[in-house]
Amino acid sequence: MFEIMKKVFGLLVVTLIMFACSESDDTGIMTDDEGGVNPPVGTFDRSAMLSNWADNIIIPSYVDFDTKIAALETAVAAFSADATTANLELVRSEWLTAYSTWQRVSMFEIGPAETVNLRLNVNIYPTNTTLIQDNIQNENYNLSLSSNRVAKGFPAIDYLLYGIAPTDEAIISKYEGSEADALRHQNYLSAVVGDIRLLSTDVLEQWQGDYRDIFVNNDGASATASTDRLVNDYIFYYEKFLRAGKMGIPGGVFSGTVESENIEALYAGNLSKQFFLEGLNATQDFFNGKAYNTNSTGESLNSYLEELNTVSDGVALNDIINNQFNTARTAVSNLRSFEEELAVNPPSDFLEAYNQVQRVVPLLKVDMVSAMSISIDFADADGD
Amino acid sequence: MKDKITQYLNSHTEAAPLAVFRVFFGILMFVSIVRFWSYGWIEKFYIAPKFHFTFYGFEWVRPFGDYTYLLFCICAVSSLMITLGWKYRWAIITFFLSFTYIELMDKTMYLNHYYFISILSFLMIFLPAGKYFSVDAFTLSRKRNIEPIQYIPRWTIDSIKLLIAIVYIYAGLAKLNSDWLLNAMPLKIWLPSKFDIPLIGNVLGEEWVSYVFSWFGASYDLFIPFLLLWKRTRIFAFVMVIIFHLLTRVLFPIGMFPYVMIVSALIFFDAGFHKKIVYAFAKFIPSLSRGAVKYPKQLLESNLYYKPKHPKVARVSLTVVAIFFIVQILLPWRYLAYPGELFWTEEGYRFSWRVMLMEKSGYAQFKIVDGVTGRRFYVDNTDFLTPLQEKQMSFQPDFILEYAHYLRDHFESQGHQDVGVYVESFVALNGRLSETYIDPEVNLAKVEESFAHKNWIKPFTDEIKGL
């Protein structure tokens, strides 16, 4: 044993000397701030970022969303009372506004929204039209059951306002008057909108109540800390719901065949591209910490990365990510409507734009998460 | 030389250090298993996943569904038996087999410290750790009036010291590279994110702190075995052991490992110290059992030497232990047989005490191509893998290949023909920007796993100097 030890020790001394030499040879590697100013790292304040997220982005988004849903509720009531073309158009336009605003809050599936499963309750598509018809006819439905998630939310309203009959006149006639069948339709439409309202108000009230402080005060660094969790949720949203849900799945990326019946707002039509872009803007604005509906920015993933960039050889990862967001937006903006693009076989332009959207994923999931040392899941690790 | 070796192998020492080591080892293992169980990890990591990543050559090692709990039970019971020294040899063999089986079930869960436990328990099979201060010794004296032994071969205790020294020294050697020493990577990424730790949290963001920790860590690993061996520095070294491991415990999620290493380091202390512990335990037992059980003091002071029952078996044991150590010393160098950067390809990375060396993460998107229809589509990894599996898979080539084969078989069973599997993957290592990891043109469905170099890994574009 002693002989072995002696050899190991000898080897050790040699390598140490080797390293001592190589160090003095190329001290250039030692520092990464050659010619630049190196602000102290670690000054980044995660709790400032959390406050910015909660106070300037998340809560204002929910406030706005709740207001838009309330307006939709009013419009539905007016339409039920008087099913005119003008009132139908009003409901449709309020639905469109609310659905667009939804694209701004969908990514915040944390805390209250996570508890009530907001996203699953509000935006599962394609909607199940058979189930909707059954519910309308039976009148015996409980929208809080998870089995009814495919028969409610924005996609169900899309069907109820655009797809339930072939023409606008025919649609209006479904809701017109006070006969049993018209009442059944009116009731279902208001029940679906009421269900969204209930959820949105619940989530908003919790954020305005205790949850804001719980969220902001959980400012540590662990798999259960707010930053780590919301970043995970954010990336999950980008990957699953924005990239895959709005583009990948309809484009046949995961099945090999185009599934144009799986686009968002199928019955209204020509909206899925707009919704996608709204969602993309929302994710980029969140990345940059942009206060809701304004141009002022606060502490964010962008500024966090800016801070950390001093560590990683001055490569501006935040700029790379913003550039890729921009490239993706340009690529998608240049498309015609998703319906038109998907009618092309194969939908090459659509898939090329999708690839640009896809390129953001590794930047967020690998480079950003790695730079911030965000935990993915709770388990023992020894870093190998 | 030969005489010296024979003389050494025939020399004896007090059995107390090995007995104390056995008692603590069993307790820590029991706690580890209970802890693992209580977190729901058996279900989460071994029962719930549809698919498990296996070790090359051990593909037959699989979880048993709900019976996996039974396996953990067996492991826990055997660890208690080890502590008690009750049917010690059976207990340690059972522990080694069950624990190793557990670790082989899914390499997603591979940790160097689990590997350490596995090989340590293997080594302990050949050590007479159950002969002193144990239920075995107690019952022998009661039933057959056989006096227990007091002295055991010196090498048996030294072998544990050697194993611990190997772990530390190789962990230290692995840190002698430019990323660790010159760039303070990956600590420069990890430490600033631990700003919420009390007292030291707000200095962890300072760059110099990362350098201090890196250099301190490397020197600690390289020198601590020697400081523990040398009597005059032993106390100081043990204090360092405690500080170092508690610090790692606070900073990183490494579970029970720090405690295992702290307790293991006790083996370096001399017999007098361990006898005090044994006597304290012996005193404690009656009060614990309300006087029902006493461990008679004369059983601890017998002056008898350990004599193996079958000298031939003893000789074989010694040979096995010698081969075991040769393998342990050579195994970490196997990476030299592969071209390319070890941290990038990870060929020869495991089982080599490379701990906390890399902040590595990846992203892998698999493309399936039907060879007959030409239809192509991408896989949603969350359909098949848990978040932890996906994370581990995305930057380790052997995981990527095994998963690709699983996808091939899955989609062929679904009716696709002649399935091709391609991967678009990006990996970021120690603060470098992510780069393409696996050649996206290679059909992984056609690649066989082997110990040969994986030439479908894209070469590392930077350079990491050192070991």
Side-chain angles (χ1 to χ4, degrees):
Chain A
M1 188 181 82
F2 185 67
E3 286 300 304
I4 297 163
M5 288 275 192
K6 218 158 87 177
K7 273 184 193 147
V8 171
F9 193 70
L11 187 71
L12 187 86
V13 171
V14 171
T15 34
L16 276 179
I17 292 167
M18 217 167 70
F19 263 89
C21 293
S22 76
E23 189 208 330
S24 55
D25 283 341
D26 40 25
T27 39
I29 307 172
M30 279 284 288
T31 50
D32 51 16
D33 58 342
E34 267 177 293
V37 189
N38 201 359
V41 284
T43 51
F44 188 79
D45 187 356
R46 277 193 179 192
S47 62
M49 177 168 73
L50 292 175
S51 317
N52 184 43
W53 285 352
D55 301 336
N56 301 325
I57 303 176
I58 300 176
I59 296 175
S61 308
Y62 279 129
V63 169
D64 193 33
F65 179 61
D66 195 54
T67 315
K68 301 279 165 65
I69 294 293
L72 175 60
E73 245 183 339
T74 316
V76 166
F79 179 59
S80 295
D82 188 8
T84 61
T85 313
N87 279 341
L88 177 63
E89 286 311 318
L90 179 67
V91 180
R92 284 174 170 180
S93 99
E94 296 294 359
W95 167 81
L96 175 59
T97 320
Y99 208 170
S100 299
T101 310
W102 163 251
Q103 311 300 340
R104 292 252 156 209
V105 297
S106 179
M107 70 180 119
F108 306 125
E109 196 83 348
I110 187 173
E114 192 184 15
T115 315
V116 302
N117 278 316
L118 186 62
R119 190 160 51 212
L120 287 175
N121 278 301
V122 160
N123 197 21
I124 288 192
Y125 57 93
T127 197
N128 186 335
T129 54
T130 324
L131 186 58
I132 294 176
Q133 290 292 0
D134 286 352
N135 282 344
I136 293 174
Q137 295 314 320
N138 294 338
E139 289 185 275
N140 182 22
Y141 45 84
N142 177 358
L143 289 185
S144 54
L145 290 180
S146 59
S147 57
N148 270 325
R149 283 177 184 168
V150 289
K152 64 175 191 171
F154 291 108
I157 305 175
D158 176 31
Y159 171 72
L160 292 169
L161 296 183
Y162 291 93
I164 199 162
T167 63
D168 283 3
E169 292 78 45
I171 291 169
I172 289 171
S173 70
K174 293 265 179 195
Y175 299 90
E176 206 171 15
S178 52
E179 285 161 40
D181 194 55
L183 286 177
R184 281 199 286 266
H185 281 83
Q186 292 169 14
N187 288 343
Y188 197 72
L189 181 59
S190 16
V192 171
V193 175
D195 179 73
I196 303 179
R197 183 76 209 278
L198 210 66
L199 293 165
S200 83
T201 310
D202 180 17
V203 170
L204 175 62
E205 278 172 355
Q206 288 191 53
W207 269 100
Q208 288 174 330
D210 295 340
Y211 188 72
R212 186 260 171 214
D213 286 345
I214 295 173
F215 176 80
V216 172
N217 293 336
N218 187 7
D219 60 355
S222 70
T224 52
S226 292
T227 309
D228 300 65
R229 290 191 48 201
L230 190 55
V231 168
N232 274 310
D233 293 338
Y234 168 74
I235 295 174
F236 186 67
Y237 169 77
Y238 187 91
E239 198 181 2
K240 270 249 153 158
F241 296 92
L242 190 66
R243 176 200 69 133
K246 297 189 201 303
M247 285 191 80
I249 292 170
V253 170
F254 303 100
S255 62
T257 38
V258 170
E259 302 170 18
S260 43
E261 70 283 4
N262 282 335
I263 58 170
E264 205 167 12
L266 177 69
Y267 301 97
N270 289 331
L271 288 175
S272 52
K273 177 181 153 186
Q274 177 187 332
F275 286 168
F276 173 86
L277 288 171
E278 190 68 26
L280 186 72
N281 291 341
T283 49
Q284 191 178 6
D285 288 349
F286 178 78
F287 178 79
N288 289 317
K290 201 187 264 185
Y292 186 71
N293 263 343
T294 71
N295 275 322
S296 67
T297 57
E299 293 291 10
S300 62
L301 296 172
N302 179 68
S303 62
Y304 194 175
L305 282 177
E306 228 164 41
E307 188 80 44
L308 294 170
N309 270 338
T310 49
V311 183
S312 59
D313 281 330
V315 186
L317 179 57
N318 53 320
D319 291 341
I320 296 174
I321 293 176
N322 264 319
N323 289 341
Q324 191 54 45
F325 268 121
N326 295 338
T327 311
R329 179 170 37 254
T330 312
V332 176
S333 302
N334 287 339
L335 295 175
R336 294 169 291 166
S337 78
F338 285 1
E339 281 85 349
E340 284 171 89
E341 294 292 347
L342 292 176
V344 182
N345 187 24
S348 322
D349 294 347
F350 184 86
L351 292 178
E352 189 38 53
Y354 169 85
N355 283 340
Q356 296 302 334
V357 174
Q358 159 66 27
R359 289 213 175 111
V360 180
V361 178
L363 291 173
L364 295 177
K365 218 175 172 176
V366 179
D367 294 290
M368 182 179 85
V369 161
S370 185
M372 292 178 182
S373 197
I374 299 273
S375 325
I376 298 279
D377 202 354
F378 175 53
D380 288 347
D382 60 5
D384 54 1
Chain B
M1 181 72 190
K2 207 183 165 205
D3 287 348
K4 267 193 175 168
I5 293 176
T6 324
Q7 199 189 344
Y8 170 74
L9 291 176
N10 287 328
S11 62
H12 286 72
T13 184
E14 291 256 14
L18 195 58
V20 169
F21 187 81
R22 183 202 81 223
V23 170
F24 282 130
F25 177 80
I27 293 173
L28 281 172
M29 289 310 105
F30 183 73
V31 173
S32 295
I33 293 161
V34 170
R35 172 178 176 272
F36 199 92
W37 193 318
S38 70
Y39 284 146
W41 285 352
I42 301 177
E43 168 71 28
K44 188 174 171 188
F45 296 133
Y46 292 116
I47 300 177
K50 291 182 207 172
F51 169 71
H52 293 283
F53 289 99
T54 57
F55 285 92
Y56 186 49
F58 291 92
E59 293 81 3
W60 50 275
V61 178
R62 299 273 157 167
F64 303 116
D66 284 341
Y67 292 104
T68 312
Y69 283 105
L70 191 66
L71 182 63
F72 277 82
C73 261
I74 291 170
C75 196
V77 169
S78 62
S79 59
L80 284 181
M81 286 168 66
I82 291 168
T83 294
L84 296 174
W86 181 41
K87 304 208 180 295
Y88 169 75
R89 196 130 296 176
W90 287 111
I92 189 75
I93 290 173
T94 311
F95 179 85
F96 164 70
L97 290 176
S98 56
F99 190 89
T100 306
Y101 191 96
I102 290 168
E103 295 322 314
L104 289 174
M105 288 193 301
D106 193 332
K107 68 182 167 196
T108 310
M109 303 301 294
Y110 172 80
L111 291 184
N112 283 295
H113 85 253
Y114 292 145
Y115 172 59
F116 174 65
I117 300 299
S118 260
I119 60 171
L120 176 61
S121 60
F122 175 79
L123 174 64
M124 285 171 73
I125 293 174
F126 304 98
L127 309 182
K131 300 286 176 196
Y132 180 78
F133 187 53
S134 62
V135 174
D136 287 348
F138 184 74
T139 44
L140 271 183
S141 71
R142 273 276 172 88
K143 287 187 183 156
R144 292 196 230 154
N145 212 10
I146 298 173
E147 237 185 304
I149 55 102
Q150 168 101 22
Y151 296 97
I152 53 171
R154 182 180 297 275
W155 70 263
T156 58
I157 292 180
D158 286 346
S159 67
I160 292 181
K161 293 182 192 170
L162 176 60
L163 185 60
I164 293 171
I166 288 175
V167 172
Y168 274 124
I169 291 170
Y170 274 113
L173 290 175
K175 291 183 174 71
L176 301 182
N177 66 69
S178 53
D179 268 17
W180 185 272
L181 296 173
L182 305 185
N183 300 323
M185 278 291 180
L187 291 183
K188 208 154 49 173
I189 293 176
W190 289 339
L191 293 183
S193 74
K194 306 292 170 189
F195 55 85
D196 55 339
I197 301 218
L199 299 175
I200 52 169
N202 39 15
V203 298
L204 290 178
E206 304 286 340
E207 194 170 21
W208 62 268
V209 175
S210 299
Y211 279 97
V212 169
F213 274 52
S214 294
W215 282 76
F216 171 74
S219 341
Y220 169 85
D221 282 341
L222 288 171
F223 296 113
I224 201 72
F226 304 102
L227 297 177
L228 282 167
L229 278 171
W230 195 27
K231 199 172 177 181
R232 293 178 64 176
T233 50
R234 196 169 292 147
I235 303 276
F236 164 76
F238 191 67
V239 172
M240 294 303 283
V241 168
I242 294 175
I243 293 175
F244 179 82
H245 285 293
L246 289 186
L247 204 58
T248 59
R249 175 75 193 83
V250 171
L251 289 171
F252 307 111
I254 48 179
M256 295 291 293
F257 186 56
Y259 307 114
V260 171
M261 290 315 277
I262 290 172
V263 170
S264 298
L266 288 174
I267 193 84
F268 287 91
F269 283 87
D270 50 33
F273 171 79
H274 288 95
K275 285 190 96 168
K276 273 184 200 150
I277 298 180
V278 169
Y279 286 133
F281 269 133
K283 249 191 193 160
F284 182 59
I285 290 168
S287 63
L288 191 73
S289 60
R290 293 194 184 145
V293 187
K294 278 197 188 90
Y295 201 89
K297 222 175 173 186
Q298 63 268 26
L299 295 185
L300 299 173
E301 292 160 354
S302 72
N303 291 325
L304 286 182
Y305 284 73
Y306 171 69
K307 282 245 161 52
K309 246 191 274 174
H310 313 285
K312 265 189 190 163
V313 176
R315 203 168 305 151
V316 172
S317 297
L318 198 59
T319 316
V320 171
V321 170
I323 294 171
F324 167 80
F325 277 110
I326 291 169
V327 171
Q328 284 306 320
I329 287 165
L330 294 179
L331 205 58
W333 299 105
R334 74 188 186 283
Y335 80 96
L336 294 171
Y338 294 99
E341 169 54 47
L342 170 67
F343 286 8
W344 187 250
T345 66
E346 300 207 24
E347 293 174 315
Y349 192 85
R350 276 179 226 126
F351 314 118
S352 308
W353 316 117
R354 301 178 200 283
V355 202
M356 313 298 288
L357 290 175
M358 303 194 295
E359 164 60 40
K360 196 177 181 190
S361 61
Y363 174 78
Q365 190 180 220
F366 289 81
K367 185 167 77 182
I368 306 294
V369 180
D370 186 312
V372 175
T373 64
R375 213 173 112 180
R376 51 188 57 210
F377 56 89
Y378 287 92
V379 173
D380 183 350
N381 291 329
T382 55
D383 287 346
F384 303 100
L385 304 178
T386 65
L388 191 69
Q389 285 178 322
E390 188 180 1
K391 177 185 172 220
Q392 294 287 348
M393 177 276 291
S394 61
F395 59 84
Q396 300 186 64
D398 54 334
F399 282 67
I400 290 176
L401 186 62
E402 192 178 354
Y403 181 51
H405 289 170
Y406 172 75
L407 291 174
R408 173 196 64 200
D409 297 345
H410 172 82
F411 286 107
E412 284 188 348
S413 75
Q414 288 213 329
H416 295 276
Q417 290 164 292
D418 192 17
V419 165
V421 182
Y422 301 83
V423 65
E424 287 157 21
S425 59
F426 299 87
V427 166
L429 173 61
N430 283 351
R432 294 172 183 84
L433 283 181
S434 63
E435 287 184 50
T436 304
Y437 190 49
I438 303 293
D439 187 342
E441 307 297 328
V442 169
N443 180 3
L444 295 174
K446 296 263 185 281
V447 177
E448 288 300 318
E449 176 63 288
S450 76
F451 284 129
H453 170 57
K454 297 175 167 53
N455 53 16
W456 35 273
I457 304 172
K458 287 271 190 184
F460 188 49
T461 53
D462 200 356
E463 199 192 353
I464 301 173
K465 289 182 188 147
L467 292 177

